[in-house]
Amino acid sequence: MLDEIDNQLAELKVSPEELADIQRPFVKMVRLDFFFLFQGVLSQYATILNTELVADVHAAKDPSVASAAVMRHSELITAWTKRTKKEDPSADLEKESLEDALNEYMPKGGEWLNVKELAVIQKFKAEILRLNADCEKKGGYTPEAVTYYDRYSGDHNIDKAKQLRNEVLQ
């Protein structure tokens, strides 16, 4: 539908400046969508790790050691959550790039992800940034970005989180 609108605007010989003004809200929406997708996937990834740690407690000969790992993970997640909490991501993304926002949200080394997990999440972040950059160039969602967003947003964050976890475990 947006492609049809773009074609109509081109036929009307809308200036590039006017076109950019028209596209600006769509570009902002896409940026916010990708921020929330990243946030949701990381949240689901943290849940997967917690579930694995709790399963280790039940399987361990000495549950106290495994329980300590669960508590440590919980403490690290809590600290990270406090550090990355954004009151209004939409307002923040008005002032900063998606890359800056994701860098702030990204877990730091030693917070709650190991080196391999951080590398996999960095790769995921790069994928999000590439899709967003393509959308910015287009002035709205690209077909690839729509497919990606539909596949992994909302209730499907868990699907991407599981893919990332599988990549870490390979």
Side-chain angles (χ1 to χ4, degrees):
M1 188 171 177
L2 290 175
D3 289 339
E4 289 176 25
I5 293 169
D6 287 345
N7 291 337
Q8 289 174 351
L9 292 171
E11 288 174 13
L12 294 171
K13 299 188 184 346
V14 172
S15 73
E17 294 80 20
E18 290 173 311
L19 185 58
D21 286 342
I22 292 167
Q23 292 173 336
R24 190 169 291 111
F26 295 107
V27 170
K28 289 177 184 177
M29 177 189 66
V30 170
R31 188 180 315 134
L32 189 60
D33 284 348
F34 278 127
F35 175 81
F36 284 125
L37 184 137
F38 187 81
Q39 186 181 54
V41 169
L42 252 60
S43 175
Q44 289 295 333
Y45 191 87
T47 300
I48 289 169
L49 291 180
N50 187 64
T51 300
E52 290 174 1
L53 290 169
V54 169
D56 290 347
V57 170
H58 297 296
K61 293 186 191 273
D62 181 1
S64 64
V65 173
S67 292
V70 171
M71 290 305 297
R72 179 73 179 136
H73 175 73
S74 178
E75 291 167 3
L76 294 172
I77 289 290
T78 300
W80 171 75
T81 301
K82 286 180 184 176
R83 179 182 69 75
T84 60
K85 184 176 181 185
K86 290 186 171 285
E87 292 299 320
D88 185 0
S90 179
D92 292 340
L93 286 166
E94 290 283 332
K95 299 177 267 181
E96 65 185 358
S97 69
L98 178 61
E99 183 172 12
D100 289 342
L102 295 184
N103 284 340
E104 288 174 18
Y105 196 77
M106 185 78 185
K108 307 279 187 247
E111 269 187 318
W112 61 276
L113 297 175
N114 65 36
V115 173
K116 188 171 183 182
E117 289 167 326
L118 279 171
V120 168
I121 299 299
Q122 285 284 3
K123 190 171 121 184
F124 168 55
K125 180 182 80 173
E127 186 174 43
I128 294 288
L129 292 173
R130 180 191 59 77
L131 289 166
N132 184 69
D134 291 347
C135 292
E136 285 181 355
K137 286 177 197 161
K138 182 182 184 293
Y141 270 107
T142 64
E144 179 188 14
V146 167
T147 300
Y148 189 93
Y149 185 78
D150 287 347
R151 183 177 296 143
Y152 299 122
S153 65
D155 291 341
H156 302 289
N157 288 161
I158 188 70
D159 299 331
K160 186 62 178 178
K162 287 177 181 178
Q163 283 181 8
L164 297 174
R165 187 64 183 149
N166 289 337
E167 191 175 334
V168 166
L169 297 174
Q170 290 178 354

